[in-house]
Amino acid sequence: MSETLETLVEQYWNAAVARDWKAFGELLHEQVLYEIPQTLERVRGRAAYVEFNATYPGDWTLEVESIIANERQAVSRVSFEVDGEFETGITFFEFRDGLISRITDYWPVPYAPPMRVSDKVERYEVERH
Amino acid sequence: MSETLETLVEQYWNAAVARDWKAFGELLHEQVLYEIPQTLERVRGRAAYVEFNATYPGDWTLEVESIIANERQAVSRVSFEVDGEFETGITFFEFRDGLISRITDYWPVPYAPPMRVSDKVERYEVERH
């Protein structure tokens, strides 16, 4: 079952990257609820959510970095690229009747490191490939 | 095995909330690697990572909202409260020899919603309890 959910999430991202909105919609429950807690935005229902994605602006693509699924839930981390800029997307999925019924999306953006008490904190650099 | 990893992550957060740094350290691999990709900060090794947490400033606590684990990896979402402010923390865990060997932490903060093409996007409010 957890492999099934992992596969479903893979298919979701593959369909999005391919702009195959028919295949994308077929993975979604009719009552799918999409939320972005950082902006308090919400999209309700399959048709609206397909439209939201199909009209998403910019020349974007993404690579799936990891998917973790158990028997009931899944999470993916993707590297999203839009107009040459990279962002990390973290997406939680819930399921009903073998379809995606809830999607909660997080977009953690860079911020300046706060002052640290511990002197054991180092900085590192990202390698893009 | 996935239940074991879920339990390990539960124990990790319980030990942190209890400030039981001995129990906390016993869950960590000696070579544990902690990273915050948003600030490009890194802490290496059990002793340094325990110190980083033990000296973390502010009157903080947290509630675990969800843990998803498969056979090899886990992710948790916590509601972190420091000095009366709430933040969401999303933490990815990897394991070696039954211990936590890698921790990657994300802190997605609120941001203003971008202009949307689709008119199917609504706003919602958060209820705190």
Side-chain angles (χ1 to χ4, degrees):
Chain A
M1 182 61 173
S2 62
E3 271 185 33
T4 314
L5 297 186
E6 194 178 314
T7 303
L8 223 123
V9 171
E10 265 173 32
Q11 291 170 335
Y12 170 92
W13 288 122
N14 289 343
V17 169
R19 276 44 167 188
D20 184 346
W21 303 118
K22 185 169 177 296
F24 187 84
E26 284 169 2
L27 300 167
L28 303 174
H29 194 280
E30 203 186 333
Q31 305 297 328
V32 65
L33 174 63
Y34 172 76
E35 289 179 338
I36 309 179
Q38 290 166 274
T39 59
L40 299 173
E41 290 175 296
R42 171 182 284 168
V43 180
R44 289 190 232 221
R46 184 196 286 148
Y49 185 60
V50 170
E51 183 200 297
F52 172 73
N53 281 275
T55 61
Y56 201 91
D59 179 20
W60 61 268
T61 190
L62 61 89
E63 275 183 38
V64 177
E65 295 189 335
S66 66
I67 301 173
I68 304 175
N70 65 18
E71 313 298 310
R72 304 171 316 284
Q73 295 164 276
V75 63
S76 66
R77 187 164 37 165
V78 305
S79 175
F80 185 80
E81 185 182 354
V82 58
D83 301 326
E85 300 284 318
F86 290 88
E87 286 185 58
T88 294
I90 299 173
T91 312
F92 289 83
F93 295 89
E94 292 177 27
F95 304 87
R96 207 189 315 160
D97 307 330
L99 297 167
I100 296 167
S101 60
R102 188 164 183 181
I103 301 167
T104 309
D105 229 4
Y106 292 92
W107 298 95
V109 296
Y111 61 91
M115 210 175 66
R116 299 298 187 185
V117 177
S118 169
D119 63 359
K120 302 298 189 300
V121 183
E122 311 161 24
R123 301 298 298 281
Y124 68 98
E125 289 185 18
V126 181
E127 301 111 46
R128 291 257 171 241
H129 39 90
Chain B
M1 180 61 173
S2 61
E3 271 186 33
T4 314
L5 297 187
E6 194 178 315
T7 304
L8 223 121
V9 171
E10 266 172 32
Q11 291 171 335
Y12 170 93
W13 287 122
N14 288 343
V17 169
R19 273 56 164 181
D20 184 346
W21 303 118
K22 184 167 178 296
F24 187 83
E26 284 169 0
L27 300 167
L28 303 174
H29 194 280
E30 202 186 332
Q31 304 299 325
V32 66
L33 174 63
Y34 172 75
E35 289 179 337
I36 309 178
Q38 290 165 272
T39 59
L40 300 172
E41 289 176 296
R42 171 183 283 167
V43 180
R44 290 189 233 220
R46 184 196 286 148
Y49 186 59
V50 170
E51 182 199 298
F52 173 73
N53 281 276
T55 61
Y56 201 90
D59 180 18
W60 60 269
T61 190
L62 60 89
E63 276 184 36
V64 177
E65 295 190 334
S66 66
I67 300 173
I68 304 176
N70 64 19
E71 312 299 309
R72 303 172 316 285
Q73 296 164 275
V75 63
S76 66
R77 188 165 35 167
V78 305
S79 175
F80 186 81
E81 185 183 352
V82 58
D83 300 327
E85 299 285 317
F86 290 89
E87 285 186 59
T88 295
I90 300 173
T91 311
F92 289 84
F93 296 89
E94 292 176 29
F95 304 88
R96 207 188 315 160
D97 308 330
L99 297 167
I100 296 168
S101 59
R102 188 164 181 178
I103 302 168
T104 309
D105 229 4
Y106 292 92
W107 298 95
V109 296
Y111 61 91
M115 210 175 65
R116 300 296 189 187
V117 177
S118 168
D119 63 359
K120 303 297 189 300
V121 183
E122 310 161 24
R123 301 298 299 281
Y124 67 98
E125 290 185 17
V126 181
E127 301 111 46
R128 291 257 170 241
H129 38 93

